[in-house]
Amino acid sequence: YAQHLKDAGFHLLNQANNHGYDYGPKGYANTQKALEAVGLKHTGAKGQITLVDVQGIKVAVLGFSSYPRDNSLIDIAAAKAVVQKAAALATVVVIQVHWGAEGADQTHVKPGTEMFLGENRGDPIAFSHAVIDAGADLIIGHGPHTLRAMEVYKGRLIAYSLGNFAGGKGLKGEGNLGWGGVLKATVNSEGALVAGHFASTYYNTHPGVPMPDPQNRGLNLMRDLSKQDFPSSGARFSVSGEISTL
């Protein structure tokens, strides 16, 4: 699958999530070897800061989750420390984070800690604002299996969840669980959002292959959620998916 991911246009993948250790440390390491064998970078291990060059700009990418093997989104003080270290190494710092409760009804972002199956899945708002204060420039959230709002905090974009992009073998695609999207964000040399675009995608449970959504269901949902959950700081979307601040 690693070669397929590369052929599809991926460059870097985040291992900080609830399934990263499904096959234990050997499976985790084998995943890294498979990615590296085809030239793909990875991030997400505790203390790991992955550096990449994007159009001549040094970018640091870090993965976070609620699990002790990864950079922790629960320990906000530790998260701020590793982000500060990354900010000293790169011009732009990007955070990939697995957080939040899961399910079709978990579309809204609310202040406070989110729980799922007895697990502390973090406080997405508190974490995001704290790491941006520490030097992060772009935050990409995953985990709830549904789209969530986008917020602009101190000029930095926070995508609280991009939903499900692809499925297959058990990852349901009915209703909003099959809605996702591709986010393009452009930041300036200071890391602040300059422009962005969200393109809606969808998939059916079988075969779980993502396709462009001509109905723009994901975009319409994200537009509404951003207004509802962040009336004064939510990202704003044009009918074609262009992203702007207020």
mmCIF file of all heavy atoms in Angstrom, residues 77-109:
data_model
loop_
_atom_site.group_PDB
_atom_site.id
_atom_site.type_symbol
_atom_site.label_atom_id
_atom_site.label_comp_id
_atom_site.label_asym_id
_atom_site.label_seq_id
_atom_site.Cartn_x
_atom_site.Cartn_y
_atom_site.Cartn_z
ATOM 1 N N ALA A 77 1.479 21.047 28.423
ATOM 2 C CA ALA A 77 2.791 21.646 28.696
ATOM 3 C C ALA A 77 3.875 20.962 27.863
ATOM 4 O O ALA A 77 4.744 21.628 27.275
ATOM 5 C CB ALA A 77 3.116 21.548 30.181
ATOM 6 N N ALA A 78 3.828 19.627 27.795
ATOM 7 C CA ALA A 78 4.804 18.889 26.988
ATOM 8 C C ALA A 78 4.608 19.178 25.505
ATOM 9 O O ALA A 78 5.577 19.279 24.742
ATOM 10 C CB ALA A 78 4.683 17.392 27.259
ATOM 11 N N ALA A 79 3.346 19.315 25.090
ATOM 12 C CA ALA A 79 3.057 19.626 23.688
ATOM 13 C C ALA A 79 3.650 20.978 23.308
ATOM 14 O O ALA A 79 4.265 21.129 22.242
ATOM 15 C CB ALA A 79 1.549 19.616 23.453
ATOM 16 N N LYS A 80 3.484 21.958 24.169
ATOM 17 C CA LYS A 80 4.034 23.281 23.894
ATOM 18 C C LYS A 80 5.559 23.230 23.796
ATOM 19 O O LYS A 80 6.156 23.890 22.934
ATOM 20 C CB LYS A 80 3.603 24.259 24.982
ATOM 21 C CG LYS A 80 2.118 24.591 24.957
ATOM 22 C CD LYS A 80 1.696 25.426 26.159
ATOM 23 C CE LYS A 80 2.331 26.791 26.156
ATOM 24 N NZ LYS A 80 1.832 27.622 27.284
ATOM 25 N N ALA A 81 6.180 22.422 24.644
ATOM 26 C CA ALA A 81 7.641 22.335 24.640
ATOM 27 C C ALA A 81 8.169 21.767 23.326
ATOM 28 O O ALA A 81 9.138 22.285 22.755
ATOM 29 C CB ALA A 81 8.112 21.487 25.818
ATOM 30 N N VAL A 82 7.543 20.695 22.822
ATOM 31 C CA VAL A 82 8.032 20.099 21.578
ATOM 32 C C VAL A 82 7.714 20.999 20.385
ATOM 33 O O VAL A 82 8.489 21.070 19.419
ATOM 34 C CB VAL A 82 7.472 18.669 21.389
ATOM 35 C CG1 VAL A 82 5.994 18.678 21.042
ATOM 36 C CG2 VAL A 82 8.260 17.919 20.321
ATOM 37 N N VAL A 83 6.613 21.736 20.444
ATOM 38 C CA VAL A 83 6.294 22.681 19.370
ATOM 39 C C VAL A 83 7.294 23.836 19.365
ATOM 40 O O VAL A 83 7.742 24.286 18.298
ATOM 41 C CB VAL A 83 4.848 23.198 19.515
ATOM 42 C CG1 VAL A 83 4.598 24.398 18.603
ATOM 43 C CG2 VAL A 83 3.861 22.085 19.188
ATOM 44 N N GLN A 84 7.666 24.319 20.532
ATOM 45 C CA GLN A 84 8.672 25.377 20.607
ATOM 46 C C GLN A 84 9.998 24.915 20.022
ATOM 47 O O GLN A 84 10.688 25.671 19.322
ATOM 48 C CB GLN A 84 8.845 25.821 22.058
ATOM 49 C CG GLN A 84 7.670 26.623 22.595
ATOM 50 C CD GLN A 84 7.739 26.848 24.096
ATOM 51 O OE1 GLN A 84 8.478 26.162 24.811
ATOM 52 N NE2 GLN A 84 6.965 27.802 24.590
ATOM 53 N N LYS A 85 10.342 23.663 20.272
ATOM 54 C CA LYS A 85 11.568 23.100 19.702
ATOM 55 C C LYS A 85 11.471 23.049 18.181
ATOM 56 O O LYS A 85 12.425 23.395 17.468
ATOM 57 C CB LYS A 85 11.807 21.701 20.266
ATOM 58 C CG LYS A 85 13.091 21.051 19.798
ATOM 59 C CD LYS A 85 13.294 19.690 20.450
ATOM 60 C CE LYS A 85 14.577 19.034 19.962
ATOM 61 N NZ LYS A 85 14.778 17.687 20.584
ATOM 62 N N ALA A 86 10.309 22.636 17.676
ATOM 63 C CA ALA A 86 10.107 22.566 16.226
ATOM 64 C C ALA A 86 10.170 23.952 15.597
ATOM 65 O O ALA A 86 10.737 24.131 14.509
ATOM 66 C CB ALA A 86 8.762 21.909 15.927
ATOM 67 N N ALA A 87 9.589 24.940 16.280
ATOM 68 C CA ALA A 87 9.575 26.302 15.749
ATOM 69 C C ALA A 87 10.981 26.881 15.636
ATOM 70 O O ALA A 87 11.239 27.751 14.797
ATOM 71 C CB ALA A 87 8.700 27.193 16.630
ATOM 72 N N ALA A 88 11.896 26.388 16.474
ATOM 73 C CA ALA A 88 13.283 26.845 16.404
ATOM 74 C C ALA A 88 14.035 26.199 15.248
ATOM 75 O O ALA A 88 15.092 26.691 14.836
ATOM 76 C CB ALA A 88 13.995 26.539 17.720
ATOM 77 N N LEU A 89 13.478 25.108 14.709
ATOM 78 C CA LEU A 89 14.141 24.372 13.632
ATOM 79 C C LEU A 89 13.591 24.697 12.251
ATOM 80 O O LEU A 89 14.240 24.402 11.244
ATOM 81 C CB LEU A 89 13.992 22.862 13.868
ATOM 82 C CG LEU A 89 14.608 22.288 15.145
ATOM 83 C CD1 LEU A 89 14.211 20.825 15.300
ATOM 84 C CD2 LEU A 89 16.124 22.430 15.117
ATOM 85 N N ALA A 90 12.383 25.257 12.190
ATOM 86 C CA ALA A 90 11.714 25.432 10.904
ATOM 87 C C ALA A 90 10.995 26.773 10.837
ATOM 88 O O ALA A 90 10.716 27.403 11.861
ATOM 89 C CB ALA A 90 10.725 24.295 10.679
ATOM 90 N N THR A 91 10.660 27.172 9.623
ATOM 91 C CA THR A 91 9.935 28.426 9.411
ATOM 92 C C THR A 91 8.449 28.255 9.686
ATOM 93 O O THR A 91 7.794 29.153 10.222
ATOM 94 C CB THR A 91 10.136 28.907 7.960
ATOM 95 O OG1 THR A 91 11.544 29.054 7.709
ATOM 96 C CG2 THR A 91 9.445 30.233 7.713
ATOM 97 N N VAL A 92 7.911 27.101 9.306
ATOM 98 C CA VAL A 92 6.485 26.811 9.477
ATOM 99 C C VAL A 92 6.340 25.499 10.243
ATOM 100 O O VAL A 92 7.065 24.532 9.970
ATOM 101 C CB VAL A 92 5.771 26.711 8.113
ATOM 102 C CG1 VAL A 92 4.313 26.290 8.288
ATOM 103 C CG2 VAL A 92 5.853 28.037 7.364
ATOM 104 N N VAL A 93 5.401 25.463 11.190
ATOM 105 C CA VAL A 93 5.150 24.261 11.989
ATOM 106 C C VAL A 93 3.720 23.790 11.736
ATOM 107 O O VAL A 93 2.759 24.537 11.946
ATOM 108 C CB VAL A 93 5.353 24.521 13.492
ATOM 109 C CG1 VAL A 93 5.028 23.265 14.301
ATOM 110 C CG2 VAL A 93 6.784 24.975 13.762
ATOM 111 N N VAL A 94 3.593 22.534 11.289
ATOM 112 C CA VAL A 94 2.290 21.932 10.996
ATOM 113 C C VAL A 94 2.026 20.812 11.991
ATOM 114 O O VAL A 94 2.897 19.969 12.237
ATOM 115 C CB VAL A 94 2.244 21.375 9.558
ATOM 116 C CG1 VAL A 94 0.902 20.691 9.289
ATOM 117 C CG2 VAL A 94 2.494 22.488 8.547
ATOM 118 N N ILE A 95 0.821 20.802 12.545
ATOM 119 C CA ILE A 95 0.419 19.788 13.511
ATOM 120 C C ILE A 95 -0.643 18.886 12.894
ATOM 121 O O ILE A 95 -1.661 19.360 12.394
ATOM 122 C CB ILE A 95 -0.160 20.434 14.793
ATOM 123 C CG1 ILE A 95 0.829 21.428 15.410
ATOM 124 C CG2 ILE A 95 -0.575 19.357 15.790
ATOM 125 C CD1 ILE A 95 2.121 20.832 15.862
ATOM 126 N N GLN A 96 -0.403 17.568 12.945
ATOM 127 C CA GLN A 96 -1.413 16.569 12.601
ATOM 128 C C GLN A 96 -1.843 15.923 13.914
ATOM 129 O O GLN A 96 -0.995 15.444 14.673
ATOM 130 C CB GLN A 96 -0.821 15.504 11.668
ATOM 131 C CG GLN A 96 -0.476 16.008 10.286
ATOM 132 C CD GLN A 96 -1.623 15.824 9.306
ATOM 133 O OE1 GLN A 96 -2.695 15.345 9.670
ATOM 134 N NE2 GLN A 96 -1.395 16.193 8.064
ATOM 135 N N VAL A 97 -3.148 15.897 14.199
ATOM 136 C CA VAL A 97 -3.575 15.429 15.514
ATOM 137 C C VAL A 97 -4.824 14.563 15.421
ATOM 138 O O VAL A 97 -5.780 14.892 14.722
ATOM 139 C CB VAL A 97 -3.789 16.628 16.475
ATOM 140 C CG1 VAL A 97 -4.740 17.652 15.893
ATOM 141 C CG2 VAL A 97 -4.265 16.164 17.845
ATOM 142 N N HIS A 98 -4.773 13.433 16.138
ATOM 143 C CA HIS A 98 -5.925 12.532 16.252
ATOM 144 C C HIS A 98 -6.567 12.791 17.606
ATOM 145 O O HIS A 98 -5.952 12.596 18.645
ATOM 146 C CB HIS A 98 -5.464 11.074 16.150
ATOM 147 C CG HIS A 98 -6.586 10.084 16.208
ATOM 148 N ND1 HIS A 98 -7.165 9.679 17.384
ATOM 149 C CD2 HIS A 98 -7.242 9.419 15.226
ATOM 150 C CE1 HIS A 98 -8.123 8.811 17.133
ATOM 151 N NE2 HIS A 98 -8.191 8.639 15.828
ATOM 152 N N TRP A 99 -7.845 13.221 17.593
ATOM 153 C CA TRP A 99 -8.497 13.628 18.839
ATOM 154 C C TRP A 99 -10.002 13.457 18.737
ATOM 155 O O TRP A 99 -10.547 13.126 17.690
ATOM 156 C CB TRP A 99 -8.164 15.087 19.166
ATOM 157 C CG TRP A 99 -8.506 16.093 18.079
ATOM 158 C CD1 TRP A 99 -9.354 15.924 17.012
ATOM 159 C CD2 TRP A 99 -7.984 17.415 17.957
ATOM 160 N NE1 TRP A 99 -9.393 17.053 16.236
ATOM 161 C CE2 TRP A 99 -8.566 17.991 16.789
ATOM 162 C CE3 TRP A 99 -7.103 18.180 18.703
ATOM 163 C CZ2 TRP A 99 -8.277 19.293 16.368
ATOM 164 C CZ3 TRP A 99 -6.820 19.469 18.278
ATOM 165 C CH2 TRP A 99 -7.398 20.009 17.133
ATOM 166 N N GLY A 100 -10.682 13.706 19.837
ATOM 167 C CA GLY A 100 -12.128 13.848 19.841
ATOM 168 C C GLY A 100 -12.930 12.562 19.862
ATOM 169 O O GLY A 100 -12.452 11.482 19.529
ATOM 170 N N ALA A 101 -14.198 12.712 20.269
ATOM 171 C CA ALA A 101 -15.144 11.601 20.236
ATOM 172 C C ALA A 101 -15.473 11.248 18.793
ATOM 173 O O ALA A 101 -15.274 12.054 17.882
ATOM 174 C CB ALA A 101 -16.409 11.970 21.002
ATOM 175 N N GLU A 102 -15.971 10.022 18.591
ATOM 176 C CA GLU A 102 -16.208 9.523 17.238
ATOM 177 C C GLU A 102 -17.691 9.303 16.965
ATOM 178 O O GLU A 102 -18.454 8.966 17.861
ATOM 179 C CB GLU A 102 -15.469 8.198 17.029
ATOM 180 C CG GLU A 102 -13.964 8.273 17.203
ATOM 181 C CD GLU A 102 -13.287 6.938 16.933
ATOM 182 O OE1 GLU A 102 -13.926 6.056 16.314
ATOM 183 O OE2 GLU A 102 -12.126 6.777 17.346
ATOM 184 N N GLY A 103 -18.074 9.467 15.700
ATOM 185 C CA GLY A 103 -19.422 9.114 15.290
ATOM 186 C C GLY A 103 -20.103 10.192 14.482
ATOM 187 O O GLY A 103 -19.703 11.363 14.486
ATOM 188 N N ALA A 104 -21.168 9.796 13.790
ATOM 189 C CA ALA A 104 -21.878 10.709 12.899
ATOM 190 C C ALA A 104 -22.470 11.901 13.634
ATOM 191 O O ALA A 104 -22.700 12.958 13.030
ATOM 192 C CB ALA A 104 -22.982 9.948 12.161
ATOM 193 N N ASP A 105 -22.715 11.751 14.943
ATOM 194 C CA ASP A 105 -23.311 12.844 15.720
ATOM 195 C C ASP A 105 -22.269 13.719 16.408
ATOM 196 O O ASP A 105 -22.620 14.596 17.197
ATOM 197 C CB ASP A 105 -24.279 12.282 16.760
ATOM 198 C CG ASP A 105 -23.603 11.353 17.761
ATOM 199 O OD1 ASP A 105 -22.461 10.905 17.491
ATOM 200 O OD2 ASP A 105 -24.211 11.057 18.809
ATOM 201 N N GLN A 106 -20.987 13.500 16.107
ATOM 202 C CA GLN A 106 -19.918 14.250 16.776
ATOM 203 C C GLN A 106 -19.360 15.354 15.873
ATOM 204 O O GLN A 106 -18.152 15.527 15.747
ATOM 205 C CB GLN A 106 -18.803 13.293 17.198
ATOM 206 C CG GLN A 106 -19.233 12.243 18.199
ATOM 207 C CD GLN A 106 -19.703 12.851 19.509
ATOM 208 O OE1 GLN A 106 -19.122 13.829 19.993
ATOM 209 N NE2 GLN A 106 -20.744 12.284 20.094
ATOM 210 N N THR A 107 -20.252 16.107 15.260
ATOM 211 C CA THR A 107 -19.821 17.137 14.318
ATOM 212 C C THR A 107 -19.418 18.442 14.991
ATOM 213 O O THR A 107 -18.639 19.209 14.422
ATOM 214 C CB THR A 107 -20.938 17.436 13.302
ATOM 215 O OG1 THR A 107 -22.136 17.766 14.014
ATOM 216 C CG2 THR A 107 -21.192 16.233 12.401
ATOM 217 N N HIS A 108 -19.928 18.711 16.182
ATOM 218 C CA HIS A 108 -19.685 20.015 16.799
ATOM 219 C C HIS A 108 -18.438 20.020 17.682
ATOM 220 O O HIS A 108 -18.136 19.047 18.371
ATOM 221 C CB HIS A 108 -20.894 20.455 17.621
ATOM 222 C CG HIS A 108 -22.055 20.878 16.780
ATOM 223 N ND1 HIS A 108 -22.095 22.084 16.113
ATOM 224 C CD2 HIS A 108 -23.210 20.234 16.468
ATOM 225 C CE1 HIS A 108 -23.227 22.183 15.438
ATOM 226 N NE2 HIS A 108 -23.922 21.073 15.630
ATOM 227 N N VAL A 109 -17.727 21.140 17.639
ATOM 228 C CA VAL A 109 -16.572 21.372 18.503
ATOM 229 C C VAL A 109 -17.050 22.172 19.706
ATOM 230 O O VAL A 109 -17.627 23.250 19.552
ATOM 231 C CB VAL A 109 -15.465 22.153 17.770
ATOM 232 C CG1 VAL A 109 -14.245 22.308 18.670
ATOM 233 C CG2 VAL A 109 -15.084 21.451 16.472
#
